[in-house]
């Protein structure tokens, strides 16, 4: 099974690019499952979403716990079940919303008990740009403010040091082109080091 993880800041384009990746493999004739957390087909996902729309420390904790259970449920239900490609949106980086020492500890724990792969993409976006994109949404979640986005981005980039980091401040087409190059390389079983320099140049 090809296991693709799409994670990143709010407003980075995770669902947009996950759907484009889904279409890529469907057009190749693959069977594809796409899970974008929090999902609304189970109580964990529904409660996680409800908590994210709330306020206060209690909702902060509840959102993290329910989100983690929602992710674990998806992995247990769909990972390794015979489909060609499983795409998971919002996976390990949920821990970046916690204080850094705890975030590092939980990231290490979840990265040990949950499957990972070379197909792990962290979609990065400047916090100011993130806010502009989020302003177009009808619902506002508790972490969608400049201070939290700056802090979360800093922690997430530290945790995602060995991921494929993609700067999404470019157009959807340009960003998807970067992702496609990496997917082509990985699908062909090649060493991804040959595109890392190009990717970094585009991020700067």
């Amino acid at each position: 099974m090809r296991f693709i993880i799409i994670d990143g800041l709010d407003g980075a384009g995770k669902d947009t690019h996950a759907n484009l990746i889904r279409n890529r493999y469907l057009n190749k004739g693959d069977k594809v499952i796409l899970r974008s957390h929090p999902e609304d087909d189970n109580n964990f996902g529904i409660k996680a979403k409800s908590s994210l729309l709330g306020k206060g420390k209690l909702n902060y904790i509840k959102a993290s716990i329910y989100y983690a259970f929602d992710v674990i449920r998806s992995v247990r239900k769909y990972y390794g079940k015979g489909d060609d490609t499983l795409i998971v949106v919002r996976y390990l980086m949920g821990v970046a919303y916690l204080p850094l020492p705890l975030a590092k500890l939980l990231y290490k724990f979840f990265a040990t008990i949950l499957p990972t792969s070379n197909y792990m993409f962290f979609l990065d976006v400047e916090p100011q740009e993130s806010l502009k994109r989020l302003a177009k949404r009808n619902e506002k979640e508790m972490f969608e403010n400049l201070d939290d986005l700056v802090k979360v981005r800093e922690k997430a980039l530290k945790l995602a040091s060995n991921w494929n980091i993609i700067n999404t401040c470019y157009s959807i087409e340009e960003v998807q082109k970067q992702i496609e190059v990496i997917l082509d390389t990985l699908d062909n079983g090649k060493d991804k080091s040959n595109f890392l320099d190009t990717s970094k140049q585009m991020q700067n």
Side-chain angles (χ1 to χ4, degrees):
M1 169 180 275
R2 183 185 295 106
F3 184 45
I4 301 175
I5 297 166
I6 308 295
D7 223 324
L9 291 184
D10 292 333
K14 296 183 292 295
D15 287 307
T16 296
H17 291 288
N19 278 293
L20 289 171
I21 293 169
R22 174 179 177 270
N23 292 339
R24 164 196 168 96
Y25 289 109
L26 285 176
N27 291 335
K28 291 176 179 285
D30 284 7
K31 295 179 180 179
V32 182
I33 292 175
L34 172 60
R35 299 290 294 171
S36 182
H37 303 103
E39 286 283 8
D40 59 5
D41 61 356
N42 69 93
N43 284 332
F44 296 131
I46 292 169
K47 289 180 179 179
K49 183 65 174 178
S50 175
S51 298
L52 283 169
L53 295 174
K55 295 180 180 179
K57 190 173 182 180
L58 181 59
N59 277 315
Y60 182 103
I61 296 170
K62 285 166 61 178
S64 299
I65 293 172
Y66 287 131
Y67 167 82
F69 279 117
D70 186 28
V71 170
I72 291 169
R73 177 186 179 274
S74 287
V75 170
R76 291 187 65 181
K77 187 170 183 178
Y78 298 103
Y79 182 77
K81 301 299 190 214
D83 292 280
D84 297 311
T85 301
L86 172 61
I87 304 169
V88 175
V89 183
R90 299 176 192 86
Y91 192 55
L92 294 173
M93 286 304 157
V95 301
Y97 291 92
L98 300 169
L100 187 57
L102 182 58
K104 285 182 177 179
L105 182 65
L106 287 179
Y107 178 87
K108 186 175 181 180
F109 173 72
F110 284 123
T112 300
I113 67 168
L114 294 175
T116 56
S117 77
N118 288 327
Y119 292 83
M120 296 168 69
F121 293 87
F122 180 81
L123 304 189
D124 185 31
V125 63
E126 293 287 341
Q128 291 83 354
E129 177 62 23
S130 173
L131 278 180
K132 287 181 186 177
R133 297 177 184 181
L134 294 172
K136 299 175 184 178
R137 297 182 183 176
N138 294 325
E139 297 178 328
K140 185 175 181 180
E141 296 179 358
M142 66 172 71
F143 301 108
E144 294 178 356
N145 60 79
L146 186 59
D147 286 344
D148 279 334
L149 289 170
V150 169
K151 293 173 185 175
V152 170
R153 179 179 183 243
E154 183 179 351
K155 286 181 281 187
L157 286 171
K158 289 178 180 177
L159 297 174
S161 58
N162 63 337
W163 291 44
N164 301 298
I165 299 176
I166 307 292
N167 186 335
T168 64
C169 289
Y170 302 97
S171 69
I172 292 173
E173 293 76 16
E174 289 174 303
V175 171
Q176 189 60 26
K177 220 176 264 188
Q178 285 189 68
I179 294 172
E180 292 284 343
V181 169
I182 298 174
L183 292 174
D184 286 341
T185 304
L186 292 171
D187 287 347
N188 292 325
K190 296 178 181 177
D191 186 346
K192 68 178 184 178
S193 60
N194 63 338
F195 58 70
L196 287 178
D197 290 340
T198 302
S199 179
K200 286 178 180 176
Q201 287 172 11
M202 292 191 71
Q203 291 171 37
N204 294 329

